[in-house]
Amino acid sequence: MNRLLLNKIILVLSTLSAVIGISFLFWILATLTYKGVSSLHLSTFTQDLVNGGIRNLLVGQFTMALIASAIAVPIGMFAGIWLREYSNQNKLASIIRNLSDVMMSAPSIVIGVFVYALFVAPFGNYNGFAGVIALTIMMIPIIISTTDNMLALVPKELREAGIALGGSKHKIIMQIIIKAAKVGITTGVLLSFARIIGETAPLLFTSANNQFFTMDLTGQFPSLTVSIYNLATYPDEASRELAWAASFVLTAIVLIINLTGRYMTRNKK
Amino acid sequence: MGGKLFKNFSFFSATLSFFILVGIFSILFSYAQDSLHEFGFDFLGSEVWEADEDDEELGVFGGYIPLVGTMLSTVIAMVIATPLAMGIAIFLTEIAHKTLIKPVSIAIELLAAIPSIIYGMWGLFYFAPIMQSAFGGNGVGLLTAGVVLAIMIIPFMAAITRDSMNTVPDVLKESAYAMGATKFEVIKDVIMPYSKGGIIGSIILALGRALGETMAVAFLIGSVMQIPNKVTDATTSIPVLLANNFSEAEGLEMSSMYYLALILFVVSFAIISIAKFYFLGKKVK
């Protein structure tokens, strides 16, 4: 009798855990929507931070994340290609694979400190370029792991067919293997983009922040996330409202990109 | 010709992560030199953090308070998150009806996708007041930071645990059920032992993540340089101290900041390596 009761209790507790997890998601999303929508105005999107809007912050955050992606995606993909197609799964490949996994979990604030030492301290001022580098370092290992895993799913027969056609190795990779793994890799790119666009810690003392609209990567660069952190600590109501509006917009962007990425793979399979 | 270039560039890209990691370690280590020379390992046990106003090369710095704050907030988060994450994983693999698995999984994964600064905002303005009325104190402090940290690492832990529980062959479970085992007995005696490595690995990875989490904790731990006497007391942690004070530090204090970053980096490196090598196995297929 006791074992049946114990069984019931555990099953109820497990279900309860799932309910708790989901409640937190809805609680957070409901708060954000409620606070965010009531603080949003048209001027929020047309004005810069200095005038109580987030236009320059959105542009700044996207600019840094897009440039970081433009650097990290090719590097990460080539690294994944080497690991899967060229390394013959040797010792070095397994070391690199593991190091890249470790790097993926490295505390983001430490990456900020590292980039500060290399790209901010020597120049004496915060700059958007340093922010880009920090985000790139965060993104590379995610792309490596995605590419590596997706290429592993490509059937051997495709490679053999390519060889039988007399294609050279890099042509087979570019024209057959990458095409076969395209959807999975694109999803990985979108998910990692969603991750880095919401990052704050690596930007705090690399790009820092800027109240004005600028595209100059050699100076302090506007950041949405860093602004939220600053605004939330100001005592006045207007700053807080703007922080909520910015939080709502940020979360919406992150979740939409994330869901788009998931939807793509779902559709294909 | 093009093939050679292609191959070489792939190889260069692959080795880059190695150089970045070595680069991070060497930079932190060399910038921490002054502090390492001045305080050595006593740094870890000293509570004093006082800059000298006249000379930036003087002053006394010790990392004990942020170290303790980091460890305590992580412990609180782990104690709360581990059972809940296990529960969610069990729910997803053994209990949930087929139609529920997908939406619940997506919800849990979205929880993981929310940026940490959002957890900070929500925690500070909505969760902290609730904690204050329930436990007293300021609302911000160790406990609040620990609970919100727990919410952040639960999805991560649950996802890896679920994946490793999913690898248990159905035959094993079915034979146990055929012997008359209850669901809980199958979970305890078949699934848990079979996926032990993955479960412990996920717990350790989540631990590593909690240690380095910055923004949410920065909002919620109070950022005060003091040893907490109660769980509701405000204190600070290594990532939070770095986030708030790194850019204003100079001289020896700056070097001590690098020392703290070095400690955090080495500890997370060790934790993640242990999780990967001993429990999660090598992912090579």
Side-chain angles (χ1 to χ4, degrees):
Chain A
M1 155 26 245
N2 271 342
R3 47 191 286 268
L4 293 181
L5 187 67
L6 187 63
N7 184 46
K8 274 250 159 65
I9 295 174
I10 295 294
L11 296 189
V12 169
L13 285 180
S14 296
T15 311
L16 201 63
S17 320
V19 173
I20 293 175
I22 294 170
S23 321
F24 273 113
L25 175 69
F26 283 110
W27 186 5
I28 294 172
L29 293 185
T31 312
L32 273 174
T33 315
Y34 164 69
K35 284 300 246 180
V37 170
S38 64
S39 318
L40 271 183
H41 311 284
L42 188 64
S43 64
T44 314
F45 294 102
T46 56
Q47 296 294 322
D48 294 336
L49 179 60
V50 66
N51 295 322
I54 60 170
R55 181 183 71 137
N56 67 326
L57 307 176
L58 274 172
V59 174
Q61 193 87 6
F62 265 99
T63 305
M64 284 193 287
L66 284 172
I67 299 177
S69 311
I71 305 170
V73 171
I75 291 181
M77 275 181 67
F78 271 107
I81 287 172
W82 186 81
L83 286 176
R84 192 51 67 184
E85 306 295 331
Y86 284 110
S87 72
N88 296 318
Q89 312 307 325
N90 59 17
K91 188 112 190 112
L92 183 62
S94 105
I95 293 174
I96 288 176
R97 215 170 247 136
N98 287 316
L99 284 181
S100 154
D101 279 353
V102 169
M103 207 167 107
M104 189 157 32
S105 309
S108 51
I109 187 96
V110 171
I111 292 172
V113 169
F114 166 68
V115 174
Y116 175 90
L118 278 187
F119 296 97
V120 176
F123 304 108
N125 66 301
Y126 300 116
N127 58 83
F129 182 65
V132 169
I133 300 283
L135 295 181
T136 306
I137 294 178
M138 300 218 54
M139 200 170 181
I140 288 175
I142 315 179
I143 304 288
I144 293 181
S145 143
T146 310
T147 312
D148 189 20
N149 292 332
M150 288 306 140
L151 293 185
L153 297 178
V154 176
K156 206 169 65 202
E157 288 74 14
L158 272 183
R159 297 184 174 84
E160 286 164 358
I163 296 168
L165 285 172
S168 57
K169 181 137 191 168
H170 74 284
K171 285 235 166 84
I172 298 176
I173 293 172
M174 287 310 274
Q175 293 176 0
I176 300 176
I177 301 177
I178 291 291
K179 273 195 182 145
K182 199 172 61 188
V183 178
I185 295 177
T186 314
T187 298
V189 170
L190 282 176
L191 291 185
S192 61
F193 185 80
R195 160 117 189 257
I196 61 161
I197 197 144
E199 277 292 345
T200 316
L203 298 178
L204 280 175
F205 27 79
T206 51
S207 70
N209 198 9
N210 197 330
Q211 290 195 303
F212 302 97
F213 189 95
T214 176
M215 281 303 217
D216 176 14
L217 283 168
T218 60
Q220 288 193 219
F221 209 68
S223 155
L224 187 65
T225 48
V226 174
S227 300
I228 295 175
Y229 186 50
N230 295 338
L231 288 168
T233 55
Y234 295 154
D236 62 301
E237 197 51 41
S239 296
R240 271 191 201 174
E241 282 205 351
L242 194 59
W244 278 114
S247 301
F248 174 69
V249 174
L250 177 70
T251 312
I253 292 171
V254 168
L255 293 188
I256 288 170
I257 299 176
N258 193 293
L259 286 170
T260 312
R262 285 173 200 286
Y263 180 75
M264 284 180 55
T265 30
R266 225 143 273 242
N267 233 9
K268 258 281 153 60
K269 268 178 195 165
Chain B
M1 217 300 274
K4 189 110 192 131
L5 193 70
F6 187 87
K7 185 178 176 181
N8 287 342
F9 188 70
S10 323
F11 181 69
F12 161 78
S13 304
T15 50
L16 198 61
S17 43
F18 169 76
F19 289 117
I20 293 176
L21 271 181
V22 173
I24 294 178
F25 181 82
S26 343
I27 289 282
L28 296 183
F29 188 73
S30 66
Y31 279 71
Q33 275 309 309
D34 289 348
S35 183
L36 272 162
H37 273 298
E38 189 73 28
F39 309 115
F41 285 116
D42 294 343
F43 184 80
L44 306 176
S46 156
E47 297 178 23
V48 190
W49 189 281
E50 258 173 27
D52 189 296
E53 279 171 29
D54 304 319
D55 188 345
E56 62 177 48
E57 295 309 327
L58 294 175
V60 187
F61 304 100
Y64 185 68
I65 295 174
L67 266 170
V68 169
T70 309
M71 282 193 273
L72 289 179
S73 56
T74 305
V75 168
I76 294 174
M78 297 305 292
V79 168
I80 299 168
T82 309
L84 283 168
M86 297 302 123
I88 291 174
I90 291 172
F91 177 79
L92 285 174
T93 50
E94 297 302 315
I95 301 174
H97 187 263
K98 249 195 311 206
T99 52
L100 264 182
I101 294 179
K102 219 183 204 180
V104 175
S105 297
I106 294 178
I108 300 292
E109 274 155 29
L110 287 185
L111 202 54
I114 296 177
S116 62
I117 188 141
I118 303 298
Y119 280 97
M121 279 290 285
W122 167 81
L124 180 62
F125 293 111
Y126 280 83
F127 197 63
I130 294 173
M131 293 297 278
Q132 185 176 23
S133 50
F135 298 97
N138 265 334
V140 291
L142 255 187
L143 187 62
T144 312
V147 175
V148 175
L149 256 185
I151 303 169
M152 295 181 66
I153 58 174
I154 282 172
F156 182 68
M157 217 196 268
I160 304 178
T161 303
R162 175 202 57 193
D163 290 346
S164 66
M165 283 183 172
N166 269 334
T167 62
V168 180
D170 286 339
V171 188
L172 283 184
K173 292 190 253 175
E174 283 156 9
S175 6
Y177 282 125
M179 305 276 288
T182 62
K183 227 167 211 179
F184 172 58
E185 285 161 348
V186 173
I187 292 163
K188 177 169 66 90
D189 297 327
V190 179
I191 297 178
M192 289 286 195
Y194 191 92
S195 47
K196 196 171 57 191
I199 297 176
I200 299 176
S202 82
I203 295 174
I204 300 178
L205 276 186
L207 176 76
R209 189 159 275 211
L211 281 180
E213 173 49 45
T214 310
M215 297 324 293
V217 184
F219 273 97
L220 297 170
I221 203 166
S223 310
V224 186
M225 266 290 205
Q226 64 171 15
I227 295 282
N229 292 316
K230 305 187 296 291
V231 283
T232 50
D233 278 355
T235 179
T236 192
S237 75
I238 297 178
V240 174
L241 187 68
L242 289 173
N244 291 333
N245 301 358
F246 180 79
S247 49
E248 287 129 42
E250 272 175 279
L252 193 57
E253 186 175 17
M254 188 60 146
S255 179
S256 303
M257 293 279 185
Y258 279 105
Y259 195 168
L260 284 175
L262 180 68
I263 295 170
L264 186 64
F265 181 65
V266 171
V267 171
S268 10
F269 191 98
I271 286 178
I272 300 157
S273 309
I274 291 170
K276 291 271 180 212
F277 298 145
Y278 289 98
F279 297 106
L280 294 174
K282 295 193 176 111
K283 276 198 318 191
V284 184
K285 274 174 200 153

Coordinates of all heavy atoms in Angstrom, one line a residue, chain A residues 224-256:
Chain A
L224 N 21.1 48.5 -25.6 CA 19.8 48.4 -25.0 C 19.9 47.7 -23.6 O 19.3 48.2 -22.6 CB 18.9 47.5 -25.9 CG 17.4 47.4 -25.5 CD1 16.7 48.7 -25.6 CD2 16.7 46.4 -26.4
T225 N 20.6 46.6 -23.5 CA 20.7 45.9 -22.2 C 21.4 46.7 -21.1 O 20.9 46.7 -20.0 CB 21.4 44.6 -22.4 OG1 22.6 44.8 -23.1 CG2 20.5 43.6 -23.2
V226 N 22.5 47.3 -21.5 CA 23.3 48.1 -20.5 C 22.4 49.3 -20.0 O 22.3 49.6 -18.8 CB 24.6 48.6 -21.1 CG1 25.3 49.6 -20.1 CG2 25.5 47.5 -21.4
S227 N 21.6 49.8 -20.9 CA 20.7 50.9 -20.6 C 19.6 50.4 -19.6 O 19.3 51.2 -18.6 CB 20.0 51.5 -21.8 OG 20.9 52.0 -22.7
I228 N 19.1 49.2 -19.8 CA 18.1 48.7 -18.9 C 18.7 48.7 -17.5 O 18.1 49.1 -16.5 CB 17.6 47.3 -19.3 CG1 16.9 47.4 -20.6 CG2 16.7 46.7 -18.2 CD1 16.4 46.0 -21.2
Y229 N 19.9 48.2 -17.4 CA 20.6 48.0 -16.1 C 20.7 49.4 -15.4 O 20.4 49.6 -14.2 CB 21.9 47.4 -16.3 CG 22.6 47.1 -15.0 CD1 22.0 46.4 -13.9 CD2 24.0 47.5 -14.8 CE1 22.6 46.2 -12.7 CE2 24.6 47.2 -13.6 CZ 23.9 46.5 -12.6 OH 24.6 46.3 -11.4
N230 N 21.2 50.4 -16.2 CA 21.3 51.7 -15.7 C 20.0 52.4 -15.3 O 19.8 52.9 -14.2 CB 22.0 52.7 -16.7 CG 23.4 52.2 -17.0 OD1 24.0 51.5 -16.2 ND2 23.9 52.6 -18.1
L231 N 19.0 52.3 -16.2 CA 17.7 53.0 -16.0 C 17.0 52.4 -14.7 O 16.4 53.1 -14.0 CB 16.8 52.8 -17.2 CG 17.2 53.6 -18.4 CD1 16.4 53.1 -19.6 CD2 17.0 55.1 -18.2
A232 N 17.1 51.1 -14.5 CA 16.4 50.5 -13.4 C 16.9 51.0 -12.1 O 16.1 50.9 -11.1 CB 16.6 48.9 -13.5
T233 N 18.1 51.5 -12.0 CA 18.7 51.9 -10.7 C 18.4 53.4 -10.5 O 18.6 53.9 -9.4 CB 20.2 51.7 -10.7 OG1 20.8 52.4 -11.8 CG2 20.5 50.2 -10.7
Y234 N 17.9 54.1 -11.5 CA 17.5 55.5 -11.3 C 16.2 55.6 -10.5 O 15.3 54.8 -10.7 CB 17.3 56.3 -12.6 CG 18.6 56.4 -13.4 CD1 18.6 56.5 -14.8 CD2 19.9 56.4 -12.8 CE1 19.7 56.6 -15.6 CE2 21.0 56.4 -13.6 CZ 20.9 56.6 -14.9 OH 22.1 56.7 -15.7
P235 N 16.1 56.6 -9.6 CA 14.9 56.6 -8.7 C 13.7 57.2 -9.4 O 12.6 56.9 -9.0 CB 15.4 57.6 -7.6 CG 16.5 58.4 -8.2 CD 17.1 57.6 -9.2
D236 N 13.8 57.9 -10.5 CA 12.7 58.6 -11.1 C 11.8 57.6 -11.9 O 12.3 56.6 -12.5 CB 13.0 59.8 -11.9 CG 13.9 59.3 -13.1 OD1 14.9 58.7 -12.9 OD2 13.5 59.6 -14.3
E237 N 10.5 57.9 -11.9 CA 9.5 57.0 -12.5 C 9.7 56.9 -14.0 O 9.6 55.8 -14.5 CB 8.1 57.6 -12.1 CG 7.0 56.6 -12.3 CD 7.2 55.3 -11.6 OE1 7.7 55.3 -10.5 OE2 6.9 54.3 -12.3
A238 N 10.1 58.0 -14.6 CA 10.2 58.0 -16.1 C 11.3 57.0 -16.5 O 11.1 56.2 -17.5 CB 10.5 59.4 -16.6
S239 N 12.4 57.0 -15.8 CA 13.5 56.1 -16.1 C 13.0 54.6 -16.0 O 13.3 53.8 -16.8 CB 14.7 56.3 -15.2 OG 15.2 57.6 -15.5
R240 N 12.3 54.4 -14.9 CA 11.9 53.0 -14.7 C 10.9 52.5 -15.8 O 11.0 51.4 -16.2 CB 11.1 52.9 -13.3 CG 12.1 52.6 -12.3 CD 11.5 52.2 -11.0 NE 12.4 52.4 -10.0 CZ 12.2 52.3 -8.7 NH1 10.9 52.1 -8.3 NH2 13.1 52.5 -7.8
E241 N 10.0 53.5 -16.1 CA 9.1 53.1 -17.2 C 9.8 52.8 -18.5 O 9.5 51.8 -19.2 CB 8.1 54.3 -17.5 CG 7.0 54.4 -16.4 CD 5.8 55.0 -16.9 OE1 5.8 55.6 -18.1 OE2 4.8 55.0 -16.2
L242 N 10.8 53.6 -18.8 CA 11.6 53.3 -20.0 C 12.3 52.0 -19.9 O 12.4 51.2 -20.9 CB 12.6 54.4 -20.2 CG 13.2 54.5 -21.6 CD1 12.2 54.6 -22.7 CD2 14.2 55.6 -21.7
A243 N 12.8 51.6 -18.7 CA 13.4 50.4 -18.5 C 12.5 49.2 -18.7 O 12.8 48.2 -19.4 CB 14.0 50.3 -17.0
W244 N 11.2 49.4 -18.3 CA 10.2 48.3 -18.6 C 9.9 48.2 -20.0 O 9.8 47.1 -20.6 CB 8.9 48.6 -17.8 CG 9.0 48.1 -16.4 CD1 9.0 48.9 -15.3 CD2 9.1 46.8 -15.9 NE1 9.1 48.2 -14.1 CE2 9.1 46.8 -14.5 CE3 9.2 45.6 -16.5 CZ2 9.3 45.7 -13.7 CZ3 9.3 44.4 -15.8 CH2 9.3 44.5 -14.4
A245 N 9.7 49.4 -20.7 CA 9.5 49.3 -22.1 C 10.6 48.6 -22.9 O 10.4 47.8 -23.7 CB 9.3 50.8 -22.6
A246 N 11.8 49.0 -22.5 CA 13.0 48.4 -23.2 C 13.1 46.9 -22.9 O 13.4 46.1 -23.8 CB 14.3 49.1 -22.7
S247 N 12.7 46.5 -21.6 CA 12.8 45.1 -21.3 C 11.8 44.3 -22.1 O 12.0 43.2 -22.6 CB 12.4 44.9 -19.8 OG 13.4 45.5 -19.0
F248 N 10.6 44.9 -22.2 CA 9.5 44.2 -23.0 C 10.0 44.0 -24.5 O 9.8 42.9 -25.0 CB 8.2 45.1 -22.9 CG 7.1 44.6 -23.8 CD1 6.5 43.4 -23.5 CD2 6.7 45.3 -25.0 CE1 5.4 42.9 -24.3 CE2 5.7 44.8 -25.8 CZ 5.1 43.6 -25.5
V249 N 10.5 45.1 -25.1 CA 10.9 45.0 -26.5 C 12.0 44.0 -26.6 O 12.0 43.1 -27.5 CB 11.4 46.4 -27.0 CG1 12.0 46.3 -28.3 CG2 10.3 47.4 -27.0
L250 N 13.0 44.0 -25.7 CA 14.1 43.1 -25.7 C 13.6 41.6 -25.7 O 14.0 40.8 -26.5 CB 15.1 43.3 -24.6 CG 16.3 42.3 -24.5 CD1 17.2 42.5 -25.7 CD2 17.0 42.5 -23.2
T251 N 12.7 41.3 -24.7 CA 12.2 40.0 -24.5 C 11.4 39.5 -25.8 O 11.6 38.4 -26.2 CB 11.3 39.9 -23.3 OG1 12.0 40.5 -22.2 CG2 11.1 38.4 -22.9
A252 N 10.6 40.5 -26.3 CA 9.8 40.1 -27.5 C 10.8 39.7 -28.6 O 10.6 38.7 -29.3 CB 9.0 41.3 -27.9
I253 N 11.8 40.6 -28.8 CA 12.8 40.3 -29.9 C 13.4 38.9 -29.7 O 13.5 38.0 -30.6 CB 13.9 41.3 -30.0 CG1 13.3 42.7 -30.4 CG2 15.0 40.9 -30.9 CD1 14.3 43.9 -30.3
V254 N 13.9 38.7 -28.5 CA 14.6 37.4 -28.2 C 13.7 36.2 -28.4 O 14.1 35.2 -29.1 CB 15.2 37.4 -26.7 CG1 15.7 36.0 -26.3 CG2 16.3 38.4 -26.6
L255 N 12.5 36.3 -27.9 CA 11.6 35.1 -28.0 C 11.1 34.9 -29.4 O 11.0 33.8 -29.9 CB 10.4 35.3 -27.0 CG 10.8 35.2 -25.5 CD1 9.5 35.2 -24.7 CD2 11.7 34.1 -25.2
I256 N 10.9 36.0 -30.2 CA 10.5 35.8 -31.6 C 11.6 35.1 -32.4 O 11.3 34.2 -33.1 CB 10.1 37.2 -32.2 CG1 8.7 37.6 -31.6 CG2 9.9 37.0 -33.7 CD1 8.3 39.0 -31.9

